[in-house]
């Protein structure tokens, strides 16, 4: 049985967050690490779990190498689940029990659903404190809905009936509290309860999440809806990405496809994407400064920069040093700067800036380091994709103060 500190009524013992992330998803292949709004799906809940500050450890239970690698990059420990709990018929309770058998030191578990990308740190803080300090043995997340239910018709000619309302007195939404339904986002429970085969039992409590945060992803149809929802309601971390004032693009591999073409006469040329230019102009119209960095000296880069009236630094051997000069010149914090790069010379800049992105064909270490990975390749619209992402963040910022009030637990 989980011990309790009698002086504070606070449960003792190690408290772990656990995310189940099998590699064999049937609905969407490798769903758990597919990019959602530029980040692996699992990263959204991992960041909330780590930043909640409620857990002694954050774990991911998986059978897949790439899921394991990405989970560790985002701050989790990895439990390599066995084949016995990795097939289609495996249940969540079996997988959690296997994890607990390997970790006897853990007394409390907060199981977090990987496919709930709008989860906020305070959605975890509330249930965690209910279990650790409030005397609850299990707590799960719910959302309120206002759906009018009707009895299913199973035989031809059979008449249906209302199940939860009177059709003669249809309730107005504002006059009806609705129903609380499990949304699957989180299940907190003691070790004792879980080992008995239950997620809910003993003293049971619930934590209500607003419907705007309660989204699940099962099929490809859910994906674009989730992508827009997470931009507006997702948790972007302790770094506040909405204050961007300077946007920097690497020329080679971002604004171009990283190819250098040489004609038979010895002339060189590179290609640029017109849509990228439109996106850059939109950033400027919104008051953001835009600049270009290039490791190479190229007359075509200069002509492109001149066409858009953008500052350009070429022959740059230390991009971070140049960026530091720009930061001081414009009197910016690193959080005020966004950058899109693609290769080793961009790496330190990507780690330092408040918002970072890369094209779909960027080097693997770069893709791991950034916050946003475009669906498009360099020179093929990736920069425009990043511009749209920054503009969405800007819209998110406009309602940040109001949203902050809504997010504060009552």
């Amino acid at each position: 049985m989980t011990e309790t500190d009698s002086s504070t009524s606070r449960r003792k013992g190690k408290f772990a967050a656990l995310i189940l992330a099998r590699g064999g998803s049937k609905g969407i292949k490798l769903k758990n690490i597919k990019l959602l709004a530029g980040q692996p799906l699992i990263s959204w809940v991992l960041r909330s779990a780590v930043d909640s500050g409620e857990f002694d450890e954050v774990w991911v239970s998986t059978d897949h190498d790439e899921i394991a690698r990405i989970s560790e990059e985002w701050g989790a420990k990895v439990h390599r689940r066995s084949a016995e709990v990795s097939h289609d018929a495996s249940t969540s309770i079996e997988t959690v029990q296997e994890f607990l058998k390997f970790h006897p030191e853990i007394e409390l578990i907060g199981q977090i659903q990987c496919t709930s990308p709008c989860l906020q740190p305070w959605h975890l803080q509330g249930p965690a404190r209910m279990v650790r300090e409030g005397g609850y043995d299990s707590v799960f997340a719910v959302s309120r809905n206002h759906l009018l239910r009707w009895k299913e018709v199973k035989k031809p000619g059979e008449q249906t009936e209302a199940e939860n309302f009177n059709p003669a007195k249809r309730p107005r939404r504002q006059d009806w509290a609705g129903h609380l339904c499990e949304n699957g986002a989180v299940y907190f429970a003691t070790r004792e309860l879980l080992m008995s085969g239950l997620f809910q039992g003993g003293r049971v409590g619930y934590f209500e999440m607003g419907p705007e945060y309660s989204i699940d992803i099962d099929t490809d149809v859910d994906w674009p809806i989730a992508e827009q929802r997470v931009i507006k309601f997702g948790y972007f971390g302790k770094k506040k990405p909405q204050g961007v004032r300077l946007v920097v693009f690497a020329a080679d591999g971002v604004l171009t496809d990283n190819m250098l073409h040489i004609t038979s006469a010895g002339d060189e040329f590179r290609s640029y994407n017109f849509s990228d230019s439109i996106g850059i102009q939109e950033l400027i119209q919104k008051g953001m400064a835009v600049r270009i960095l290039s490791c190479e000296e190229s007359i075509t880069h200069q002509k492109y920069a001149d066409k858009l009236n953008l500052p350009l630094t070429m022959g740059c051997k230390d991009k971070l040093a140049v960026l530091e000069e720009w930061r001081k010149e414009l009197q910016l914090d690193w959080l005020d700067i966004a950058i899109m790069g693609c290769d080793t010379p961009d790496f330190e800049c990507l780690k330092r800036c408040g918002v970072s992105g890369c094209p779909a064909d960027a080097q693997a270490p770069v893709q791991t380091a950034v916050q946003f990975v475009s669906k498009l390749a360099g020179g093929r619209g990736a920069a425009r994709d990043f511009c749209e992402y920054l503009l969405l963040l800007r819209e998110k910022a406009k309602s940040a103060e109001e949203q902050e009030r809504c997010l504060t637990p009552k």
Side-chain angles (χ1 to χ4, degrees):
M1 176 177 283
T2 307
E3 292 184 39
T4 302
D5 186 331
S6 58
S7 62
T8 62
S9 298
R10 178 183 173 87
R11 275 197 171 96
K12 299 168 66 176
K14 186 169 282 189
F15 198 166
L18 178 63
I19 299 163
L20 308 183
R22 189 168 66 95
S25 173
K26 297 299 182 184
I28 305 174
K29 187 176 180 181
L30 286 179
K31 171 176 66 176
N32 296 317
I33 54 173
K34 182 179 177 180
L35 294 180
L36 179 77
Q39 297 174 193
L41 175 61
I42 197 170
S43 71
W44 293 99
V45 294
L46 280 174
R47 182 158 51 199
S48 287
V50 171
D51 285 358
S52 72
E54 293 294 329
F55 304 106
D56 299 306
E57 298 171 341
V58 177
W59 286 86
V60 171
S61 171
T62 187
D63 59 340
H64 194 275
D65 290 343
E66 187 65 5
I67 294 176
R69 183 188 69 80
I70 290 174
S71 297
E72 289 176 335
E73 290 285 349
W74 284 86
K77 295 184 176 182
V78 172
H79 169 74
R80 292 285 186 161
R81 66 168 71 176
S82 68
E84 286 75 16
V85 294
S86 298
H87 51 77
D88 291 344
S90 300
T91 65
S92 295
I93 195 69
E94 291 172 341
T95 310
V96 174
Q97 287 174 338
E98 182 199 66
F99 171 81
L100 286 171
K101 288 175 183 176
F102 277 89
H103 299 280
E105 75 283 4
I106 293 175
E107 292 292 339
L108 298 169
I109 285 281
Q111 187 196 334
I112 303 171
Q113 182 172 252
C114 185
T115 53
S116 297
C118 291
L119 197 71
Q120 305 286 317
W122 64 270
H123 291 146
L124 302 172
Q125 292 164 349
R129 292 167 189 176
M130 290 172 71
V131 170
R132 178 167 266 171
E133 302 166 9
Y136 289 92
D137 301 300
S138 57
V139 178
F140 58 97
V142 299
S143 295
R144 195 176 297 272
N145 72 41
H146 293 75
L147 301 178
L148 303 178
R149 296 198 315 272
W150 289 82
K151 188 179 100 174
E152 182 180 358
V153 172
K154 298 183 179 179
K155 297 179 181 178
E158 188 177 57
Q159 180 177 307
T160 188
E161 296 176 359
E163 292 189 328
N164 66 339
F165 73 105
N166 181 355
K169 297 180 180 179
R170 293 178 63 88
R172 296 191 309 164
R173 184 182 181 89
Q174 60 267 38
D175 298 331
W176 179 37
H179 296 285
L180 294 177
C181 302
E182 286 186 37
N183 64 15
V186 298
Y187 293 90
F188 285 62
T190 64
R191 177 190 190 89
E192 181 181 21
L193 188 65
L194 292 165
M195 293 307 292
S196 73
L198 296 173
F199 283 118
Q200 295 144 320
R203 187 181 181 208
V204 183
Y206 65 80
F207 183 86
E208 184 173 353
M209 292 172 56
E212 64 270 30
Y213 305 108
S214 302
I215 185 167
D216 194 13
I217 303 173
D218 290 318
T219 67
D220 284 320
V221 175
D222 300 323
W223 207 266
I225 299 170
E227 199 145 35
Q228 290 302 310
R229 188 81 70 86
V230 80
I231 287 293
K232 187 170 185 180
F233 298 110
Y235 174 65
F236 286 85
K238 293 178 180 178
K239 283 186 176 182
K240 298 299 182 184
Q242 52 262 37
V244 172
R245 294 167 57 192
L246 170 64
V247 184
V248 179
F249 293 98
D252 304 293
V254 173
L255 297 176
T256 74
D257 59 7
N258 224 11
M259 298 291 289
L260 173 61
H261 304 277
I262 302 177
T263 68
S264 59
D267 297 323
E268 67 176 59
F269 68 91
R270 304 167 194 250
S271 61
Y272 301 83
N273 189 286
F274 185 69
S275 290
D276 290 346
S277 303
I278 295 174
I280 289 170
Q281 293 294 343
E282 289 180 356
L283 295 183
I284 294 171
Q285 290 170 9
K286 296 294 184 180
M288 302 183 205
V290 179
R291 298 187 178 186
I292 303 174
L293 274 175
S294 174
C295 295
E296 302 294 324
E297 297 280 355
S298 169
I299 190 170
T300 58
H301 287 339
Q302 188 63 63
K303 288 183 176 179
Y304 181 80
D306 290 345
K307 181 179 178 64
L308 296 180
N309 196 27
L310 298 177
L312 163 67
T313 297
M314 294 190 292
C316 182
K317 303 306 179 186
D318 186 349
K319 289 188 175 181
L320 186 61
V322 174
L323 207 55
E324 172 67 3
E325 290 178 8
W326 289 350
R327 186 185 73 81
K328 291 179 178 178
E329 171 199 339
L330 298 172
Q331 298 181 328
L332 302 177
D333 189 276
W334 283 107
L335 295 180
D336 301 327
I337 304 173
I339 184 169
M340 190 174 211
C342 73
D343 213 327
T344 306
D346 309 311
F347 197 73
E348 291 304 317
C349 297
L350 293 165
K351 291 195 298 183
R352 187 71 63 90
C353 293
V355 185
S356 56
C358 72
D361 56 346
Q363 295 298 304
V366 170
Q367 293 194 32
T368 301
V370 301
Q371 298 162 324
F372 176 86
V373 181
S374 173
K375 300 183 183 71
L376 304 171
R380 297 291 183 269
R384 175 62 184 272
D385 207 16
F386 190 53
C387 292
E388 291 179 356
Y389 176 71
L390 294 175
L391 291 171
L392 283 169
L393 292 182
R394 184 181 180 88
E395 288 302 311
K396 180 182 175 72
K398 287 182 178 179
S399 59
E401 185 176 341
E402 180 180 348
Q403 186 175 341
E404 188 73 24
R405 289 196 297 268
C406 296
L407 292 179
T408 304
K410 300 296 188 290

